[in-house]
Amino acid sequence: MQIEKIEVFPIKIKKDHVYLGSSSGLDTDYDYYLRPEYRCPYSKNMETLLVKVTCSGGISGWGEALAPVLPDVAGRIISELFTPVLLGRDPLDRGVIWNMLYGLMRDRGYYSGFMVDAISAVDCALWDIAGKHFGVPVYKLLGGAYRTEIPAYISGLPVAGLDEKVALALSWKEKGFKAIKLQIGYGMDEDIRIMRALREALGADFKLMIDAHWNYTVAQAVKLAHRLEELDVEFLECPLNPEDLAGYSELAATVSIPVTLGEADRTHWRYKDILDRNSCDIVQPDVGRCGISELMRISELAELYGKPVAPHLSVGQAGCIAATLHCDAAIYNFYGMQEYQPSILPVANEFLIDPIKCENGAFSIPEGAGLGIEFDEDKVRYYSSENK
């Protein structure tokens, strides 16, 4: 079996709503606008990059790179840099291929960012091919399933007012969900006010987590964590800039609330630095940024340090969601809950023949060979910015 064809599909999907519900800055003529509270650009569209790898004998596999902005960048890396060295290779040589692709631009300093995002998409497609070749789900190739249902927590309450946030949270509780993570960073007093209202409304048996989106200094994050202790918050995600591993080490050693880190990091080398410094209590690799191979390698590394793994899942579409769920099933030191974006899954399912399901507070792992999903290729090609 040999790789015969590689196709990339940068996707931009226009929807009436935008991610996390922001409406500020949308009057720009450009696709991207600045979210001041998060200090980074967001798209007016839902964007991603899908890749299809086709092999001799007719087997094809799908992968996805997390691409909330500029999906065509990772697409060009695959089509122009990767394709010439991948054609004719055995797709089952996943480890060899990963190291080969990673080494292509290593001496030029491109060992993170879009380069590794592109590798991740190809890597997931190769796992999908391997599962189809052997006739088993990917989680079987990863060693088997420790769990067949994946408990989910709601990520975000994308409505404006406090009363509206509380009402939306209560509606998720009524639907069987038992945990919510709120994106904050609007100022400490406001963050505390929101979390206190949610705790009072949802009760002591409901889990609450916080994503602070890099908005605090160490001193501020320590103060925030101490004020959150009375609210029994499960974890504090990414309160500091991701480069500040020394600051994270100080924070994690000082506060009782577990600190999470890792969504911006892509390789086991970076995670080794995080873990050696004891910079967090829970690691959060994202399959759309590190691929299945690295996510599992990071998970095994974290196990050596006694750290649980809570895979990050934000705007990744069906390829990212399915790959994440297969990893969740096979991770020994899984945190116990998977991030779930209610505004993303319905859009992701529009591109699938059969939907991925998240009901009564839990994901079902897609069954069938490979990743267990089948794309509607006509729809993928229609929405691909390559064909617009």
Side-chain angles (χ1 to χ4, degrees), residues 328-348:
D328 290 343
I331 293 172
Y332 175 71
N333 49 327
F334 180 60
Y335 174 67
M337 293 186 291
Q338 174 57 56
E339 185 169 13
Y340 165 48
Q341 301 278 356
S343 65
I344 301 299
L345 184 59
V347 180

Side-chain angles (χ1 to χ4, degrees), residues 264-291:
D265 300 294
R266 290 167 169 83
T267 67
H268 66 284
W269 289 287
R270 172 65 173 176
Y271 273 90
K272 185 176 185 301
D273 288 341
I274 292 172
L275 293 163
D276 280 345
R277 290 169 176 259
N278 202 27
S279 294
C280 67
D281 302 289
I282 302 166
V283 298
Q284 292 181 298
D286 192 307
V287 78
R289 289 184 173 135
C290 60

Side-chain angles (χ1 to χ4, degrees), residues 367-381:
E367 290 295 340
L371 293 176
I373 56 174
E374 181 181 356
F375 280 94
D376 181 335
E377 291 197 38
D378 289 338
K379 187 164 288 187
V380 170
R381 293 178 189 278

Side-chain angles (χ1 to χ4, degrees), residues 47-50 63-71 74 113-114 116-118 120-121 263-264 266 286-291 312-317 320:
E47 303 193 10
T48 196
L49 175 76
L50 298 175
E64 180 180 356
L66 184 61
V69 297
L70 301 176
F114 289 104
V116 183
D117 296 346
S120 300
E263 69 174 84
R266 290 167 169 83
D286 192 307
V287 78
R289 289 184 173 135
C290 60
H312 181 262
L313 187 58
S314 60
V315 296
Q317 298 287 316
C320 283

Side-chain angles (χ1 to χ4, degrees), residues 275 280-282 299-309 333:
L275 293 163
C280 67
D281 302 289
I282 302 166
S299 298
E300 292 167 358
L301 181 63
E303 183 185 343
L304 298 178
Y305 290 78
K307 307 293 186 183
V309 178
N333 49 327

Side-chain angles (χ1 to χ4, degrees), residues 152-156 172 177 313 338-342 345-346 358 363:
Y153 67 84
I154 299 295
S155 185
W172 287 120
F177 291 87
L313 187 58
Q338 174 57 56
E339 185 169 13
Y340 165 48
Q341 301 278 356
L345 184 59
C358 186
F363 279 104

